[in-house]
Amino acid sequence: MFSIIARRSKSAIAPLARFNHTLPDLAFDYNELEPFISAEIMQLHHSKHHQTYITNLNVAEEKAVTAFEKKDLTTQISLQQVMKFNGGGHINHSIFWTNLAPVKNGGGELSDASLLQAINRDFGSLESFKTQFAAQTVAVQGSGWGWLGFNTATKKLEIATTFNQDPLLHLVPLLGVDVWEHAYYLQYKNVRPDYLKAIWNVVNWKNVAERYHKVA
Amino acid sequence: MELHHSKHHQGYVNNLNAAEEKLAQADLQTKIALQQSLKFNGGGHINHSIFWTNLAPVKNGGGQLTDDALLQAINHDFGSLDHFKTEFAIQAAGVQGSGWGWLGFNTATKKLEIATTFNQDPLIHLVPLLGVDVWEHAYYLQYKNVRPDYLKAIWNVVNWKNVAERYHKANLKSAL
């Protein structure tokens, strides 16, 4: 997460520490999710789209720091949208890359018994979960994400969608699937449902299970 | 172009027709529930229908602004045609997620304005003259993530004759 640590100083404006976000490495090569997600998509998605969110986030955060120093509330507020969009983009994609794995590294295989049990309990079956997930995610109007999340209040799994780069807030994100057109268009064109069918083959269920066990 | 027209726009039309059919027999709650689908698919149909008329091949005058009154209005409201294009590109490139950039006519002030709309929301507060689709499907296969390149290139095929027609209609209407 990004946070701002302020050190007060009476005389000069104190420099505020902040994190400089950097692009996380993928745990696999761009071509290793083929044929389900093309190398071209992975390269553009990671090195261009995600990088851009990070670059813009860093710029916005610097401006925000200055605005805090100057006690310029208007600017602080005016930066919120840019920070939400780019910060959310950074958060969401960082989760996404960990949610994917090549088939040879276990992509597509759900072997965690308690996660499977929870899915069966909350959705009826793994197949039913996938069907519901696809239905809700396909229906996202415009750009956004489909999520499997954990409701810490009810201790249940839920499907949710978010819009643009809004981060998932009301649930703990376990699995996110990007349905911005850039995530699939080069390969699947307008047929979002085909992308949503294919992606199950490279879902890193080990990671989803890890995230689940952290909160369940 | 082929995907955009025959798949995306057709998709909006199909979904709009389906929603309108349901609307015909709907109770109030259902009518309200259908609003979002109507707005999205109806807006998609409206916006793309305008868009196709806003484009023309170079050999049919695409890219050429010869209407004096429109050019004058652009110079008056934006400083110059180039300045308008620059400002338009900045705003259209800055759309977060999916949406549209517009040149519109403000019937109250009788001025030209640049606006952006989100997803498939139709342009409502201005009379649409020129719309540019900045959904990724509008440019990704060719321009990838570089939306600014698409926005530079598209000027070559903007059908200024159509934009001028729309301008004159709006101007006339607002004078009544």
Side-chain angles (χ1 to χ4, degrees):
Chain A
M1 289 294 146
F2 40 90
S3 61
I4 295 170
I5 304 158
R7 278 174 271 131
R8 305 237 169 144
S9 151
K10 280 195 186 138
S11 51
I13 294 174
L16 301 182
R18 64 265 194 186
F19 298 170
N20 249 308
H21 305 283
T22 54
L23 185 64
D25 285 333
L26 302 184
F28 47 84
D29 291 336
Y30 289 139
N31 63 355
E32 289 194 284
L33 300 186
E34 289 192 337
F36 308 107
I37 303 180
S38 72
E40 192 182 15
I41 287 178
M42 287 308 300
Q43 177 172 22
L44 282 164
H45 205 173
H46 180 249
S47 72
K48 302 285 181 187
H49 288 274
H50 189 177
Q51 180 62 67
T52 300
Y53 291 124
I54 289 169
T55 304
N56 294 342
L57 175 62
N58 287 335
V59 167
E61 284 195 321
E62 276 231 31
K63 290 192 189 147
V65 157
T66 306
F68 271 98
E69 288 172 350
K70 294 195 175 143
K71 299 198 197 316
D72 180 355
L73 184 57
T74 302
T75 305
Q76 286 170 41
I77 293 173
S78 76
L79 285 167
Q80 289 310 304
Q81 186 51 40
V82 171
M83 291 196 35
K84 176 165 105 158
F85 185 67
N86 293 289
H90 181 37
I91 290 170
N92 295 338
H93 287 86
S94 300
I95 296 173
F96 191 39
W97 307 138
T98 69
N99 284 159
L100 299 169
V103 171
K104 66 174 172 63
N105 294 357
E109 285 170 48
L110 172 47
S111 49
D112 186 284
S114 57
L115 175 58
L116 184 52
Q117 232 175 61
I119 288 177
N120 288 336
R121 180 198 65 210
D122 296 331
F123 300 106
S125 68
L126 182 58
E127 278 319 298
S128 182
F129 159 69
K130 288 180 180 181
T131 304
Q132 285 179 59
F133 186 94
Q136 291 198 49
T137 306
V138 125
V140 168
Q141 290 181 345
S143 309
W145 291 73
W147 299 93
L148 170 64
F150 181 76
N151 185 323
T152 50
T154 63
K155 308 267 189 285
K156 287 186 183 267
L157 296 172
E158 283 178 36
I159 293 167
T161 55
T162 52
F163 159 73
N164 268 12
Q165 293 298 350
D166 293 358
L168 181 64
L169 294 175
H170 71 289
L171 304 170
V172 175
L174 307 182
L175 166 66
V177 174
D178 191 345
V179 289
W180 280 61
E181 285 172 332
H182 65 240
Y184 60 89
Y185 208 85
L186 290 177
Q187 190 173 352
Y188 295 95
K189 310 295 193 295
N190 60 302
V191 195
R192 193 189 271 180
D194 282 0
Y195 160 67
L196 289 171
K197 256 194 231 111
I199 201 165
W200 295 116
N201 292 286
V202 289
V203 163
N204 183 2
W205 284 109
K206 275 185 238 168
N207 175 268
V208 181
E210 260 169 51
R211 292 175 179 275
Y212 172 69
H213 285 292
K214 256 191 220 156
V215 291
Chain B
M1 283 309 300
E2 184 177 0
L3 282 164
H4 205 172
H5 181 249
S6 72
K7 303 284 180 186
H8 289 273
H9 189 176
Q10 182 67 67
Y12 291 123
V13 169
N14 294 343
N15 293 340
L16 174 61
N17 286 334
E20 287 190 324
E21 257 207 63
K22 289 195 196 137
L23 198 67
Q25 356 252 344
D27 60 24
L28 180 56
Q29 185 157 309
T30 310
K31 278 200 181 115
I32 293 175
L34 285 167
Q35 289 311 305
Q36 186 51 40
S37 179
L38 268 180
K39 178 165 104 158
F40 185 66
N41 294 291
H45 180 39
I46 289 171
N47 295 338
H48 287 87
S49 299
I50 295 174
F51 191 38
W52 308 139
T53 68
N54 284 160
L55 299 170
V58 172
K59 65 176 170 66
N60 295 358
Q64 284 172 49
L65 172 47
T66 50
D67 185 284
D68 271 327
L70 176 57
L71 183 53
Q72 236 177 59
I74 288 177
N75 288 335
H76 183 262
D77 296 329
F78 300 105
S80 69
L81 181 58
D82 270 334
H83 196 253
F84 158 69
K85 289 179 178 180
T86 304
E87 191 51 40
F88 186 96
I90 289 172
Q91 293 203 40
V95 169
Q96 290 180 346
S98 308
W100 291 72
W102 299 95
L103 171 64
F105 180 75
N106 184 323
T107 50
T109 63
K110 312 264 191 290
K111 285 183 183 269
L112 297 173
E113 284 178 35
I114 293 167
T116 55
T117 52
F118 160 73
N119 267 13
Q120 292 300 349
D121 292 359
L123 181 64
I124 296 181
H125 71 288
L126 304 171
V127 176
L129 307 181
L130 165 66
V132 174
D133 192 345
V134 290
W135 280 61
E136 285 173 332
H137 65 241
Y139 59 89
Y140 207 86
L141 292 178
Q142 188 172 356
Y143 296 96
K144 310 294 190 296
N145 60 303
V146 196
R147 194 188 272 178
D149 281 359
Y150 159 68
L151 290 168
K152 254 192 233 115
I154 202 165
W155 295 117
N156 292 287
V157 289
V158 162
N159 183 1
W160 285 108
K161 276 185 235 163
N162 176 266
V163 180
E165 262 170 52
R166 293 175 177 276
Y167 170 66
H168 286 293
K169 231 187 249 166
N171 219 344
L172 212 67
K173 218 174 173 190
S174 79
L176 296 174

